Amino acid sequence: SAPDAASSFVGRDHARATLRECLARAHGGRCAVAIVRRPADIGKTRLTEVFVDEAQTSGWHALIGRCRDGEGVPAYWPWIQILRRLLEHPELREEAESLTGCTQMIAGLIPELERTATGADPERRSSAGAESTEQSQFLFYDAVTRVLVRCARRRHIVFVLEDLQWAGAGALRLLEHLLFEAASVGLLLIATVRDQAWERGHPLIRMLSILKQQNACEEIALRGFS
């Protein structure tokens, strides 16, 4: 028979071992974080794919959001992808649908929620329409975080955010909110980021600092093969 993805994957033994350690910590009931740093085109996507396949074989569920560079990319794009995947999951769909009508931002970012969920409370919609922009953003962060935390308590979940250097400021703030609320939840967050010089004040610098402050954070630096 054809070899599976893991058996045909060459190298990166230390990186894979570190990711397995992070997974074990998350299995123990605490949020674990892994930052995979690499130069461009060094193979971080392949590494995360192989590890995610391995985790799923062990009963974990993967939610992957890929940040994109370029014009026209919707705000919160990696989180939109993750919420859409929740809507497709038979066990976790109900949790995602609970976001319907929470804030002004939900319908614009994830119209699938408005089309598929039923029975949204009219008073809830009315109060959402009265929010200021700042309130709407915070309530959006909080509502999404609560859904993700509840999902992680129901199922073992690995969150993967790829190419974090392209995430917008709002997407990074939502990640910060999740880390704050999920410290005692057994989930694993893997963030991949390209190594390069960042200008002073870039929001990613602050986000990386927050990630590294987590009690169970491992930084994995990938380099080219000899």
Side-chain angles (χ1 to χ4, degrees):
S1 60
D4 60 25
S7 63
S8 62
F9 185 71
V10 177
R12 309 300 186 200
D13 292 341
H14 176 72
R16 292 172 67 189
T18 301
L19 289 171
R20 290 186 191 114
E21 290 173 5
C22 291
L23 195 70
R25 291 172 190 163
H27 195 273
R30 300 289 293 179
C31 178
V33 176
I35 306 170
V36 181
R37 305 186 64 151
R38 85 286 181 240
D41 302 320
I42 205 67
K44 55 84 189 169
T45 297
R46 179 70 174 139
L47 169 66
T48 54
E49 286 175 349
V50 168
F51 176 74
V52 163
D53 286 345
E54 182 180 321
Q56 289 182 134
T57 301
S58 301
W60 288 71
H61 182 63
L63 294 174
I64 301 171
R66 293 182 171 89
C67 306
R68 292 281 300 277
D69 188 23
E71 297 181 2
V73 179
Y76 306 100
W77 181 237
W79 299 109
I80 291 172
Q81 294 171 72
I82 284 173
L83 291 172
R84 284 175 174 168
R85 287 181 171 90
L86 287 179
L87 283 170
E88 297 168 355
H89 194 288
E91 293 181 37
L92 304 176
R93 178 189 182 96
E94 185 178 354
E95 297 289 359
E97 288 181 344
S98 69
L99 286 169
T100 304
C102 281
T103 75
Q104 293 173 327
M105 299 175 66
I106 294 293
L109 292 173
I110 314 168
E112 294 96 323
L113 283 172
E114 302 297 319
R115 291 197 298 266
T116 60
T118 59
D121 186 346
E123 291 187 8
R124 193 179 186 189
R125 291 177 180 273
S126 176
S127 63
E131 298 159 6
S132 68
T133 301
E134 292 77 14
Q135 278 183 310
S136 184
Q137 287 178 329
F138 183 85
L139 292 175
F140 174 70
Y141 301 155
D142 187 59
V144 172
T145 291
R146 284 188 285 113
V147 165
L148 297 179
V149 166
R150 288 199 302 267
C151 289
R153 285 179 171 147
R154 290 181 61 177
R155 289 287 305 267
H156 292 308
I157 293 181
V158 179
F159 293 94
V160 181
L161 295 177
E162 287 219 29
D163 288 311
L164 201 62
Q165 74 278 355
W166 291 330
L172 294 175
R173 291 297 299 274
L174 200 161
L175 173 56
E176 179 181 348
H177 201 102
L178 174 62
L179 290 170
F180 181 79
E181 296 294 334
S184 59
V185 179
L187 63 86
L188 171 59
L189 170 73
I190 302 174
T192 73
V193 61
R194 184 177 296 179
D195 269 335
Q196 63 186 70
W198 305 105
E199 61 185 24
R200 180 175 297 180
H202 193 287
L204 182 62
I205 296 176
R206 180 174 182 272
M207 189 68 252
L208 290 175
S209 175
I210 292 171
L211 287 170
K212 293 175 186 178
Q213 289 170 15
Q214 304 307 303
N215 289 331
C217 177
E218 294 286 348
E219 194 168 2
I220 302 169
L222 298 185
R223 296 290 180 264
F225 293 123
S226 64

